[in-house]
Amino acid sequence: MGRQSYRLSDIDFEANAKEGVAIDWPIRYKDVAPWYSYVEKFVGISGEKLNLPQLPDSEFLPPMEMYCVEKEVRKRIEKNFPGRVMTIGRVANLSKAGEAQLGVGRAPCQYRNKCSLGCPYGAYFSTQSCTLPPAAKTGRLTLRPDSVVTEILYDENKKRATGVRIVDAVTLQPKEYFAKIVFVCGSALGSTAILLNSKSNRFPNGFGNDSGELGHNLMDHHFRTGASGVWEGDLDKYYIGRRANGIYVPRYRNIGTDKRDYLRGFGYQGGGSRTGWQRNIAEMSFGADYKDELTKPGPWTMGLGGFGETLPYHENRMYLDKNEKDKWGMPLVVFDAELKENEKKMRIDMMNDAKEMLEASGLKNVRSYDNGSYLGMAIHEMGTARMGRDPKTSVLNANNQVHGVKNVFVTDGACMVSTSCVNPSLTYMALTARAADFAVKEMKRQNI
Ligand code: SF4
């Protein structure tokens, strides 16, 4: 998980309905806001308050500091482009450990930026550091590793799910587990594959698939376009530690009076850094002076990379191969999905705006790029079991509950009705907590 953590806003929740795209979200910001707060206080999100309608503030731990070049670029973007803001990334790394985090054995970030190796301090959010330890402490958690869930079991008489069938990843033996409630939260594509593979007389086309929408409306963000340049000056300045975070420019396109020839918008992630010894690798030079030069940091550079919203298109889909199976007996997943005109038009702005902002900020040698993006590349897959009010056009209701089966909930990216342009994990966490609360209450009311 890249750990960038942003809330969706009502601009996102209302966009489909206002623009007549796909179907309306069955919820609004006010329905999720308390649950964002709930998970943020537990997870720990570092960031800066901005009071922007398009990017509601979280419950923040102290923000990380911007580097000198970033502070300068921020000032100049805000001066030259009214309505655009640059802020430090909102990130699930503990800039300070509060009681909730210390209580589960986590410690503050050491700024070594070795997060990709796993964090021995539990300083960034992960299931291993943050959610599993307190769950284990309850004494009611059984973790069953090496379990490939292949199917949700359904009782036709009771009209309920009764549990799941798994295949042991090592022994390849099947086994069944039984439960009162099943939460499917195996990532959008994993969860949808399990649902599609769970067939019965009641659900011949996949679990809960009365609408025929299961597997459709596949979305992802599109990215890999932007610009970077060189900042001349501040060569006497460096930074302490290795900040595990970058900067963020929230969406500004199609907000307020801004109107483009495409729908929705994009944000930028990026940051400043000083180039290292690798900068001269192509020189193929030698000698003491040359080596001495390489021990010093090179010039500052700064980059902005866009993350754009992708619209939900019914024809963008995943399905299960009829013949081929993997080692564990699961049918292979097949994708048939593409970016379309709206995203292609947006990418032109994503590239050109980045160049324009960096040039206006005084960077030199600014180069823009579009390295192309395909659905799946940004690993923010969403939408294949969407929420909605009408069981005829959606798989889940407003509480992430399968319309046709009350004791099954799907709470990962599959539930999303649109993508916004922000990183989605925080929203999955908030929706999962909200659905879990709903499920407990429904059980107590004996509705499940
Ligand atoms: S830099 Fe990353 S790995 Fe290191 S302490 Fe911080 S969160 Fe953990």
Side-chain angles (χ1 to χ4, degrees), residues 254-307:
N254 291 319
I255 301 273
T257 54
D258 185 82
K259 291 278 172 286
R260 309 301 293 168
D261 63 346
Y262 54 84
L263 301 174
R264 320 288 166 99
F266 53 88
Y268 287 106
Q269 299 183 26
S273 61
R274 290 194 73 166
T275 50
W277 57 267
Q278 295 97 329
R279 69 187 178 276
N280 271 353
I281 232 163
E283 295 295 319
M284 301 293 282
S285 191
F286 59 90
D289 290 349
Y290 178 72
K291 283 190 195 167
D292 192 41
E293 174 58 24
L294 291 190
T295 63
K296 295 172 195 146
W300 286 97
T301 60
M302 169 100 192
L304 293 176
F307 275 74

Side-chain angles (χ1 to χ4, degrees), residues 51-101:
N51 276 321
L52 296 175
Q54 70 272 39
L55 193 74
D57 294 322
S58 292
E59 309 277 344
F60 288 130
L61 298 173
M64 294 182 190
E65 202 183 338
M66 283 189 185
Y67 300 150
C68 59
V69 55
E70 296 166 345
K71 287 179 185 165
E72 273 306 313
V73 171
R74 172 187 192 150
K75 271 192 234 154
R76 295 177 194 207
I77 286 179
E78 288 173 10
K79 179 167 162 263
N80 292 314
F81 303 92
R84 300 190 196 178
V85 189
M86 194 174 109
T87 185
I88 189 71
R90 298 177 171 182
V91 70
N93 282 57
L94 298 181
S95 54
K96 188 178 162 196
E99 298 230 334
Q101 290 90 32

Side-chain angles (χ1 to χ4, degrees), residues 93 108-115 118-121 123-124 242 244:
N93 282 57
C109 179
Q110 310 295 307
Y111 299 104
R112 308 173 309 160
N113 201 4
K114 286 288 178 193
C115 314
C119 181
Y121 298 90
Y124 71 71
R242 294 177 177 182

Side-chain angles (χ1 to χ4, degrees), residues 390-404:
D390 186 351
K392 290 198 196 77
T393 57
S394 57
V395 181
L396 310 170
N397 68 16
N399 290 302
N400 294 73
Q401 194 175 24
V402 173
H403 279 301

Side-chain angles (χ1 to χ4, degrees), residues 202-214 391-395 402-405:
R202 168 70 182 84
F203 295 117
N205 300 315
F207 198 94
N209 193 16
D210 289 333
S211 63
E213 293 294 334
L214 188 64
K392 290 198 196 77
T393 57
S394 57
V395 181
V402 173
H403 279 301
V405 191

Side-chain angles (χ1 to χ4, degrees), residues 177-193:
Y177 287 92
F178 300 98
K180 284 184 197 156
I181 295 188
V182 177
F183 262 67
V184 189
C185 197
S187 82
L189 309 183
S191 292
T192 306

